[in-house]
Coordinates of all heavy atoms in Angstrom, one line a residue:
M22 N 0.8 -1.2 0.0 CA 0.0 0.0 0.0 C 0.9 1.3 0.0 O 0.6 2.2 -0.7 CB -0.9 0.0 1.2 CG -1.8 1.1 1.4 SD -3.1 1.1 0.1 CE -4.1 2.4 0.6
R23 N 1.9 1.2 0.8 CA 2.8 2.4 0.9 C 3.5 2.7 -0.5 O 3.6 3.8 -0.8 CB 3.9 2.2 2.0 CG 4.6 3.4 2.3 CD 5.3 3.2 3.6 NE 6.1 4.4 4.0 CZ 5.6 5.4 4.6 NH1 4.3 5.5 4.9 NH2 6.4 6.5 4.9
G24 N 3.8 1.6 -1.2 CA 4.5 1.7 -2.5 C 3.5 2.4 -3.5 O 3.9 3.2 -4.3
A25 N 2.2 2.0 -3.4 CA 1.2 2.6 -4.3 C 1.1 4.1 -4.0 O 1.0 4.9 -4.9 CB -0.1 1.9 -4.1
W26 N 1.1 4.5 -2.7 CA 1.0 5.9 -2.3 C 2.2 6.7 -2.8 O 2.1 7.8 -3.3 CB 0.9 6.1 -0.8 CG -0.5 6.2 -0.4 CD1 -1.2 5.3 0.4 CD2 -1.5 7.2 -0.7 NE1 -2.5 5.7 0.5 CE2 -2.7 6.8 -0.1 CE3 -1.4 8.4 -1.5 CZ2 -3.8 7.6 -0.2 CZ3 -2.6 9.2 -1.5 CH2 -3.7 8.8 -0.9
L27 N 3.4 6.1 -2.7 CA 4.6 6.7 -3.2 C 4.5 6.9 -4.7 O 4.9 8.0 -5.2 CB 5.8 5.9 -2.8 CG 7.2 6.4 -3.2 CD1 7.4 7.8 -2.6 CD2 8.3 5.5 -2.8
S28 N 4.1 5.9 -5.4 CA 3.9 6.1 -6.9 C 2.9 7.2 -7.2 O 3.2 8.0 -8.1 CB 3.5 4.8 -7.5 OG 4.5 3.8 -7.3
F29 N 1.8 7.2 -6.5 CA 0.8 8.2 -6.7 C 1.4 9.6 -6.4 O 1.2 10.5 -7.2 CB -0.4 7.9 -5.8 CG -1.5 9.0 -5.8 CD1 -2.3 9.1 -6.9 CD2 -1.6 9.9 -4.8 CE1 -3.3 10.1 -6.9 CE2 -2.5 10.9 -4.8 CZ -3.4 11.0 -5.9
C30 N 2.1 9.7 -5.3 CA 2.6 11.0 -4.9 C 3.7 11.5 -6.0 O 3.7 12.7 -6.3 CB 3.2 11.0 -3.5 SG 2.0 10.7 -2.2
L31 N 4.6 10.6 -6.4 CA 5.6 11.0 -7.3 C 4.9 11.4 -8.7 O 5.3 12.4 -9.3 CB 6.5 9.9 -7.5 CG 7.5 9.6 -6.4 CD1 8.3 8.3 -6.7 CD2 8.4 10.8 -6.1
G32 N 3.9 10.6 -9.1 CA 3.3 11.0 -10.3 C 2.6 12.3 -10.3 O 2.6 13.2 -11.1
A33 N 1.9 12.6 -9.1 CA 1.2 13.8 -8.9 C 2.2 15.0 -8.9 O 1.9 16.1 -9.4 CB 0.3 13.8 -7.7
A34 N 3.3 14.8 -8.2 CA 4.3 15.8 -8.1 C 4.8 16.2 -9.5 O 5.0 17.4 -9.8 CB 5.4 15.4 -7.2
L35 N 5.1 15.2 -10.3 CA 5.6 15.4 -11.7 C 4.5 16.2 -12.5 O 4.8 17.1 -13.2 CB 6.0 14.1 -12.3 CG 7.2 13.4 -11.8 CD1 7.4 12.1 -12.4 CD2 8.4 14.3 -12.1
L36 N 3.3 15.7 -12.4 CA 2.2 16.4 -13.1 C 2.0 17.8 -12.7 O 1.8 18.7 -13.5 CB 0.9 15.6 -13.0 CG 0.9 14.3 -13.8 CD1 -0.4 13.6 -13.5 CD2 1.0 14.5 -15.3
S37 N 2.0 18.0 -11.4 CA 1.8 19.4 -10.9 C 3.0 20.3 -11.2 O 2.8 21.5 -11.4 CB 1.6 19.4 -9.4 OG 2.8 19.0 -8.7
G38 N 4.2 19.8 -11.4 CA 5.3 20.6 -11.8 C 5.2 21.0 -13.3 O 5.7 22.0 -13.6
C39 N 4.4 20.3 -14.1 CA 4.2 20.7 -15.4 C 3.1 21.8 -15.6 O 3.0 22.4 -16.7 CB 3.8 19.5 -16.3 SG 5.0 18.2 -16.3
A40 N 2.3 22.0 -14.6 CA 1.2 23.0 -14.7 C 1.8 24.4 -14.5 O 2.6 24.6 -13.7 CB 0.2 22.7 -13.7
S41 N 1.3 25.3 -15.3 CA 1.8 26.7 -15.1 C 0.8 27.4 -14.2 O -0.4 27.1 -14.2 CB 1.9 27.4 -16.4 OG 0.6 27.5 -17.0
I42 N 1.3 28.3 -13.4 CA 0.4 29.0 -12.5 C 0.5 30.5 -12.9 O 1.6 31.1 -12.9 CB 0.9 28.9 -11.0 CG1 0.8 27.4 -10.6 CG2 0.1 29.8 -10.1 CD1 1.4 27.1 -9.3
S43 N -0.6 31.0 -13.3 CA -0.6 32.4 -13.8 C -0.6 33.4 -12.6 O -0.8 32.9 -11.5 CB -1.8 32.6 -14.7 OG -3.0 32.4 -14.0
G44 N -0.6 34.6 -12.9 CA -0.6 35.6 -11.8 C -1.9 35.7 -11.0 O -1.9 36.1 -9.9
N45 N -3.0 35.2 -11.6 CA -4.3 35.2 -10.9 C -4.5 33.8 -10.3 O -3.8 32.9 -10.7 CB -5.4 35.7 -11.7 CG -5.7 34.8 -12.9 OD1 -5.6 33.6 -12.8 ND2 -6.1 35.4 -14.0
D46 N -5.5 33.7 -9.5 CA -5.8 32.4 -8.9 C -7.1 31.8 -9.5 O -7.8 31.0 -8.9 CB -5.9 32.5 -7.4 CG -7.0 33.4 -6.9 OD1 -7.7 34.1 -7.8 OD2 -7.2 33.5 -5.7
A47 N -7.4 32.1 -10.8 CA -8.6 31.6 -11.4 C -8.6 30.0 -11.5 O -9.7 29.5 -11.4 CB -8.7 32.1 -12.9
A48 N -7.5 29.4 -11.6 CA -7.5 27.9 -11.7 C -7.7 27.3 -10.3 O -7.9 26.1 -10.2 CB -6.2 27.4 -12.3
F49 N -7.6 28.0 -9.2 CA -7.7 27.5 -7.9 C -9.2 27.6 -7.4 O -9.6 28.6 -6.8 CB -6.8 28.2 -7.0 CG -5.3 28.0 -7.3 CD1 -4.7 28.7 -8.3 CD2 -4.7 26.9 -6.8 CE1 -3.4 28.5 -8.6 CE2 -3.4 26.6 -7.1 CZ -2.7 27.4 -8.1
T50 N -10.0 26.6 -7.8 CA -11.4 26.6 -7.6 C -11.9 26.1 -6.3 O -13.1 26.2 -5.9 CB -12.1 25.8 -8.7 OG1 -11.6 24.5 -8.7 CG2 -11.9 26.4 -10.1
G51 N -11.0 25.6 -5.5 CA -11.3 25.1 -4.2 C -10.8 25.9 -3.1 O -10.0 26.8 -3.3
M52 N -11.3 25.7 -1.9 CA -10.8 26.3 -0.7 C -11.0 25.5 0.6 O -11.9 24.6 0.5 CB -11.4 27.7 -0.5 CG -12.9 27.7 -0.3 SD -13.5 29.4 -0.3 CE -13.9 29.5 1.5
T53 N -10.3 25.8 1.6 CA -10.6 25.1 2.9 C -11.8 25.8 3.5 O -11.9 27.0 3.5 CB -9.4 25.1 3.8 OG1 -9.0 26.5 4.0 CG2 -8.2 24.3 3.3
K54 N -12.7 24.9 4.0 CA -13.9 25.5 4.7 C -13.7 25.7 6.2 O -14.4 26.4 6.8 CB -15.1 24.7 4.4 CG -15.1 23.3 4.8 CD -16.4 22.6 4.4 CE -16.3 21.1 4.6 NZ -17.5 20.4 4.1
D55 N -12.7 25.0 6.7 CA -12.3 25.1 8.1 C -10.8 25.1 8.2 O -10.1 24.8 7.2 CB -12.9 24.0 9.0 CG -14.3 24.0 9.0 OD1 -14.9 25.0 9.3 OD2 -14.9 22.9 8.7
K56 N -10.2 25.3 9.3 CA -8.8 25.0 9.5 C -8.5 23.6 9.1 O -9.2 22.7 9.6 CB -8.4 25.3 11.0 CG -7.0 25.1 11.3 CD -6.7 25.3 12.8 CE -5.3 25.0 13.2 NZ -5.1 25.2 14.7
A57 N -7.5 23.4 8.3 CA -7.2 22.0 7.8 C -5.7 21.7 7.9 O -4.9 22.5 7.6 CB -7.7 21.9 6.3
S58 N -5.5 20.4 8.2 CA -4.1 19.9 8.2 C -3.6 19.8 6.8 O -4.3 19.5 5.9 CB -4.0 18.6 9.0 OG -4.8 17.6 8.3
F59 N -2.3 20.0 6.6 CA -1.6 20.0 5.3 C -0.4 19.1 5.5 O 0.5 19.5 6.2 CB -1.3 21.4 4.9 CG -0.6 21.4 3.5 CD1 -1.4 21.4 2.4 CD2 0.7 21.6 3.4 CE1 -0.8 21.4 1.1 CE2 1.4 21.7 2.2 CZ 0.6 21.6 1.0
S60 N -0.4 17.9 4.9 CA 0.7 17.0 5.0 C 1.3 16.7 3.7 O 0.7 16.4 2.7 CB 0.2 15.7 5.6 OG -0.5 15.9 6.8
T61 N 2.6 16.9 3.6 CA 3.3 16.7 2.3 C 3.7 15.3 1.9 O 3.9 15.0 0.8 CB 4.6 17.6 2.3 OG1 5.4 17.2 3.3 CG2 4.2 19.1 2.3
T62 N 3.8 14.4 2.9 CA 4.3 13.1 2.6 C 3.2 12.1 2.4 O 3.5 10.9 2.0 CB 5.3 12.6 3.7 OG1 4.6 12.5 4.9 CG2 6.5 13.4 3.7
G63 N 2.0 12.4 2.8 CA 0.9 11.5 2.6 C -0.2 11.6 3.6 O 0.1 12.2 4.7
P64 N -1.4 11.1 3.4 CA -2.4 11.3 4.4 C -2.2 10.5 5.7 O -2.8 10.8 6.7 CB -3.7 10.7 3.6 CG -3.2 9.9 2.5 CD -1.8 10.4 2.2
E65 N -1.3 9.5 5.7 CA -1.0 8.8 6.9 C 0.0 9.5 7.8 O 0.3 9.0 8.9 CB -0.4 7.4 6.6 CG -1.3 6.5 5.7 CD -0.9 6.7 4.2 OE1 0.2 7.2 3.9 OE2 -1.7 6.4 3.4
Q66 N 0.5 10.6 7.4 CA 1.5 11.4 8.1 C 0.9 11.7 9.5 O -0.2 12.3 9.6 CB 1.8 12.7 7.4 CG 3.0 13.5 8.0 CD 3.4 14.6 7.1 OE1 3.3 14.5 5.9 NE2 3.8 15.7 7.7
M67 N 1.6 11.4 10.6 CA 1.1 11.5 12.0 C 1.0 13.0 12.4 O 0.0 13.4 13.0 CB 2.0 10.8 12.9 CG 2.0 9.3 12.7 SD 0.4 8.5 12.8 CE 0.4 8.3 14.6
V68 N 2.0 13.8 12.0 CA 2.0 15.2 12.4 C 2.0 16.0 11.1 O 3.0 15.9 10.3 CB 3.2 15.5 13.3 CG1 3.2 17.0 13.6 CG2 3.2 14.7 14.6
P69 N 1.0 16.8 10.9 CA 1.0 17.6 9.6 C 2.1 18.6 9.6 O 2.6 19.0 10.6 CB -0.4 18.3 9.6 CG -0.9 18.2 11.0 CD -0.2 17.1 11.7
D70 N 2.5 19.0 8.4 CA 3.6 20.0 8.2 C 3.1 21.3 8.7 O 3.9 22.1 9.2 CB 4.0 20.1 6.7 CG 4.6 18.8 6.3 OD1 5.8 18.5 6.7 OD2 4.0 18.1 5.5
R71 N 1.8 21.6 8.5 CA 1.3 22.9 8.9 C -0.2 22.8 8.8 O -0.8 21.8 8.3 CB 1.8 24.0 8.0 CG 1.4 23.9 6.6 CD 2.0 25.1 5.8 NE 2.0 24.8 4.4 CZ 2.0 25.7 3.4 NH1 1.9 27.0 3.8 NH2 2.0 25.4 2.2
Y72 N -0.9 23.8 9.3 CA -2.4 23.9 9.2 C -2.7 25.1 8.3 O -2.1 26.2 8.4 CB -3.0 24.1 10.6 CG -2.9 22.9 11.4 CD1 -1.8 22.6 12.2 CD2 -3.9 21.9 11.3 CE1 -1.8 21.5 13.0 CE2 -3.8 20.8 12.1 CZ -2.8 20.5 12.9 OH -2.7 19.4 13.6
L73 N -3.7 24.9 7.4 CA -4.1 25.9 6.5 C -5.3 26.6 7.1 O -6.2 25.9 7.6 CB -4.5 25.3 5.2 CG -3.5 24.5 4.4 CD1 -4.1 23.9 3.2 CD2 -2.3 25.4 4.1
P74 N -5.4 27.9 7.1 CA -6.5 28.6 7.7 C -7.8 28.4 6.8 O -7.6 28.2 5.6 CB -6.1 30.1 7.7 CG -5.0 30.2 6.8 CD -4.3 28.8 6.7
A75 N -8.9 28.6 7.3 CA -10.2 28.5 6.5 C -10.1 29.6 5.4 O -9.6 30.7 5.6 CB -11.4 28.8 7.4
G76 N -10.5 29.2 4.2 CA -10.5 30.1 3.1 C -9.3 30.0 2.3 O -9.1 30.8 1.3
T77 N -8.3 29.1 2.6 CA -7.1 29.0 1.8 C -7.5 28.5 0.4 O -8.1 27.4 0.3 CB -6.1 28.0 2.4 OG1 -5.8 28.5 3.7 CG2 -4.9 27.9 1.6
R78 N -7.1 29.2 -0.7 CA -7.4 28.8 -2.0 C -6.5 27.6 -2.4 O -5.3 27.6 -2.1 CB -7.2 29.9 -3.0 CG -8.1 31.1 -2.8 CD -9.6 30.7 -3.1 NE -9.8 30.4 -4.4 CZ -10.5 31.2 -5.3 NH1 -10.9 32.3 -5.0 NH2 -10.7 30.7 -6.5
L79 N -7.0 26.7 -3.2 CA -6.3 25.5 -3.6 C -6.9 24.9 -4.9 O -8.0 25.3 -5.3 CB -6.3 24.4 -2.5 CG -7.6 24.0 -1.9 CD1 -8.3 23.0 -2.7 CD2 -7.4 23.6 -0.4
R80 N -6.1 24.0 -5.5 CA -6.5 23.2 -6.7 C -6.4 21.8 -6.3 O -5.4 21.3 -5.9 CB -5.6 23.6 -7.8 CG -5.9 22.8 -9.1 CD -4.8 23.0 -10.1 NE -4.3 24.3 -10.1 CZ -3.5 24.9 -11.0 NH1 -3.1 24.2 -12.0 NH2 -3.1 26.1 -10.9
V81 N -7.5 21.0 -6.5 CA -7.5 19.6 -6.3 C -6.8 18.9 -7.5 O -7.3 19.1 -8.6 CB -8.9 19.0 -6.1 CG1 -8.9 17.5 -5.9 CG2 -9.6 19.7 -4.8
I82 N -5.8 18.1 -7.2 CA -5.1 17.5 -8.3 C -5.1 16.0 -8.2 O -4.6 15.2 -9.0 CB -3.6 18.0 -8.4 CG1 -2.9 17.8 -7.2 CG2 -3.6 19.4 -8.9 CD1 -1.4 18.2 -7.3
G83 N -5.8 15.4 -7.1 CA -5.9 14.0 -6.9 C -6.7 13.6 -5.7 O -6.9 14.5 -4.9
H84 N -7.2 12.4 -5.7 CA -8.0 11.9 -4.6 C -7.3 10.6 -4.1 O -6.7 9.9 -4.8 CB -9.4 11.6 -5.1 CG -10.2 12.8 -5.5 ND1 -10.9 13.5 -4.6 CD2 -10.3 13.4 -6.7 CE1 -11.5 14.5 -5.2 NE2 -11.2 14.4 -6.5
G85 N -7.5 10.4 -2.8 CA -6.9 9.2 -2.2 C -7.6 8.9 -0.8 O -7.2 9.6 0.1
G86 N -8.5 8.0 -0.8 CA -9.2 7.7 0.5 C -10.0 8.9 1.0 O -10.8 9.5 0.3
D87 N -9.7 9.3 2.2 CA -10.4 10.4 2.9 C -9.7 11.7 2.7 O -10.1 12.8 3.3 CB -10.6 10.1 4.4 CG -11.5 9.0 4.7 OD1 -12.3 8.6 3.8 OD2 -11.3 8.4 5.7
S88 N -8.6 11.7 1.8 CA -7.9 12.9 1.6 C -7.8 13.3 0.1 O -8.1 12.4 -0.7 CB -6.4 12.8 2.1 OG -6.4 12.6 3.5
V89 N -7.5 14.6 -0.1 CA -7.3 15.0 -1.5 C -5.9 15.6 -1.6 O -5.4 16.2 -0.7 CB -8.4 16.0 -2.0 CG1 -9.7 15.4 -2.1 CG2 -8.5 17.2 -1.0
L90 N -5.3 15.4 -2.7 CA -4.0 15.9 -3.0 C -4.3 17.3 -3.6 O -5.0 17.4 -4.6 CB -3.2 15.1 -4.0 CG -1.8 15.6 -4.4 CD1 -0.9 15.7 -3.2 CD2 -1.2 14.7 -5.4
V91 N -3.7 18.4 -3.1 CA -4.0 19.7 -3.5 C -2.7 20.5 -3.8 O -1.6 20.1 -3.4 CB -4.8 20.5 -2.4 CG1 -6.1 19.8 -2.1 CG2 -3.9 20.7 -1.2
Q92 N -2.9 21.5 -4.7 CA -1.8 22.4 -4.9 C -2.2 23.8 -4.4 O -3.4 24.2 -4.7 CB -1.5 22.5 -6.4 CG -0.3 23.5 -6.7 CD 0.0 23.5 -8.2 OE1 -0.9 23.3 -9.0 NE2 1.2 23.8 -8.5
L93 N -1.4 24.5 -3.7 CA -1.7 25.8 -3.2 C -1.3 26.8 -4.1 O -0.5 26.6 -5.0 CB -1.0 26.0 -1.8 CG -1.4 24.9 -0.7 CD1 -0.7 25.2 0.6 CD2 -2.9 24.8 -0.5
V94 N -1.7 28.0 -3.9 CA -1.4 29.2 -4.8 C 0.2 29.4 -4.8 O 0.7 29.7 -5.9 CB -2.1 30.4 -4.4 CG1 -1.7 31.6 -5.2 CG2 -3.6 30.2 -4.5
D95 N 0.8 29.1 -3.7 CA 2.3 29.2 -3.7 C 3.1 28.1 -4.4 O 4.3 28.1 -4.4 CB 2.8 29.4 -2.2 CG 2.7 28.1 -1.4 OD1 2.3 27.1 -1.9 OD2 2.9 28.2 -0.2
G96 N 2.3 27.1 -4.9 CA 2.9 26.0 -5.7 C 3.2 24.8 -4.9 O 3.5 23.7 -5.4
S97 N 3.1 24.9 -3.5 CA 3.3 23.7 -2.7 C 2.2 22.7 -2.9 O 1.0 23.0 -3.1 CB 3.5 24.0 -1.3 OG 2.4 24.8 -0.8
T98 N 2.5 21.4 -2.8 CA 1.5 20.3 -2.9 C 1.5 19.5 -1.6 O 2.5 19.3 -0.9 CB 1.8 19.4 -4.1 OG1 3.1 18.8 -3.9 CG2 1.7 20.1 -5.4
G99 N 0.3 19.0 -1.2 CA 0.2 18.2 -0.1 C -1.2 17.6 0.0 O -2.1 17.9 -0.8
F100 N -1.5 16.9 1.1 CA -2.8 16.3 1.4 C -3.6 17.0 2.4 O -3.0 17.5 3.4 CB -2.5 14.8 1.8 CG -2.0 14.0 0.7 CD1 -0.6 13.9 0.5 CD2 -2.8 13.2 -0.1 CE1 0.0 13.1 -0.5 CE2 -2.2 12.5 -1.1 CZ -0.9 12.4 -1.3
V101 N -4.9 17.1 2.1 CA -5.8 17.8 3.0 C -7.0 16.9 3.2 O -7.4 16.2 2.2 CB -6.3 19.2 2.4 CG1 -7.3 19.8 3.3 CG2 -5.1 20.1 2.2
P102 N -7.6 16.8 4.4 CA -8.8 15.9 4.6 C -9.9 16.4 3.6 O -10.1 17.6 3.5 CB -9.2 16.1 6.0 CG -7.9 16.6 6.7 CD -7.2 17.3 5.7
E103 N -10.5 15.4 2.9 CA -11.5 15.8 1.9 C -12.7 16.6 2.5 O -13.2 17.5 1.8 CB -12.0 14.5 1.2 CG -12.9 14.8 0.1 CD -13.2 13.5 -0.7 OE1 -13.2 12.4 -0.2 OE2 -13.5 13.7 -1.9
D104 N -13.0 16.3 3.7 CA -14.2 17.0 4.3 C -13.9 18.4 4.7 O -14.8 19.2 5.1 CB -14.7 16.2 5.6 CG -13.7 16.1 6.7 OD1 -12.5 16.3 6.5 OD2 -14.1 15.7 7.8
K105 N -12.6 18.9 4.6 CA -12.3 20.2 4.8 C -12.2 21.1 3.6 O -11.9 22.3 3.6 CB -10.9 20.3 5.5 CG -10.8 19.6 6.8 CD -11.6 20.3 7.9 CE -11.4 19.6 9.2 NZ -12.2 20.3 10.3
V106 N -12.5 20.5 2.4 CA -12.4 21.2 1.1 C -13.8 21.4 0.5 O -14.6 20.6 0.6 CB -11.5 20.3 0.1 CG1 -11.5 21.0 -1.3 CG2 -10.1 20.2 0.6
T107 N -13.9 22.6 0.0 CA -15.2 23.0 -0.6 C -14.9 23.9 -1.8 O -13.8 24.3 -2.1 CB -16.1 23.8 0.4 OG1 -17.4 23.9 -0.2 CG2 -15.6 25.1 0.8
L108 N -15.9 24.2 -2.6 CA -15.8 25.1 -3.7 C -15.6 26.5 -3.3 O -16.2 26.9 -2.3 CB -17.0 25.0 -4.6 CG -17.2 23.8 -5.5 CD1 -18.6 23.9 -6.2 CD2 -16.1 23.6 -6.5
A109 N -14.7 27.2 -3.9 CA -14.6 28.6 -3.6 C -15.8 29.3 -4.2 O -16.5 28.8 -5.1 CB -13.3 29.2 -4.3
P110 N -16.2 30.5 -3.6 CA -17.4 31.2 -4.1 C -17.3 31.4 -5.6 O -16.2 31.7 -6.1 CB -17.4 32.5 -3.3 CG -16.6 32.2 -2.1 CD -15.6 31.2 -2.5
D111 N -18.4 31.3 -6.3 CA -18.5 31.6 -7.8 C -17.6 30.7 -8.6 O -17.1 31.1 -9.7 CB -18.2 33.1 -8.1 CG -19.1 34.0 -7.3 OD1 -20.3 33.7 -7.2 OD2 -18.6 35.0 -6.8
Q112 N -17.4 29.5 -8.2 CA -16.6 28.5 -9.0 C -17.4 27.3 -9.4 O -18.4 27.0 -8.7 CB -15.4 28.1 -8.2 CG -14.4 29.2 -7.8 CD -13.8 29.8 -9.0 OE1 -13.4 29.1 -10.0 NE2 -13.7 31.1 -9.0
G113 N -17.0 26.6 -10.4 CA -17.6 25.4 -10.9 C -17.2 24.2 -10.0 O -16.5 24.4 -9.0
P114 N -17.5 23.0 -10.4 CA -17.2 21.8 -9.7 C -15.7 21.6 -9.6 O -15.0 22.0 -10.6 CB -17.9 20.7 -10.4 CG -18.1 21.2 -11.8 CD -18.3 22.7 -11.6
L115 N -15.2 21.0 -8.5 CA -13.8 20.7 -8.4 C -13.4 19.5 -9.3 O -14.2 18.6 -9.4 CB -13.5 20.3 -6.9 CG -13.6 21.3 -5.9 CD1 -13.4 20.7 -4.5 CD2 -12.6 22.4 -6.1
Q116 N -12.3 19.6 -10.0 CA -11.9 18.6 -10.9 C -10.5 18.0 -10.4 O -9.7 18.8 -10.0 CB -11.7 19.2 -12.3 CG -12.9 19.7 -12.9 CD -14.0 18.6 -13.1 OE1 -13.6 17.5 -13.6 NE2 -15.2 18.9 -12.9
P117 N -10.4 16.7 -10.3 CA -9.1 16.1 -9.9 C -8.0 16.3 -10.9 O -8.3 16.6 -12.0 CB -9.4 14.6 -9.7 CG -10.7 14.4 -10.5 CD -11.4 15.7 -10.6

């Protein structure tokens, strides 16, 4: 199982590195609806790297169990609990 997560994470990191981020945040259609843990090594990480405040803009780039792999406006990627993510106001559906 751990090997599958590692492959998923590496693939997502490579794909997210290919995406360009423009000066605006139009592509970041999601946001945290509450304070949310942000873990860079996987959803099983015992202690999160940091906590994102409510309203943090993000882009969903993958799904895995109860967590989603997201990219933040600053370019960092990590896992956030799925129940902490919602659509940003005036945005369409989240796409993985």
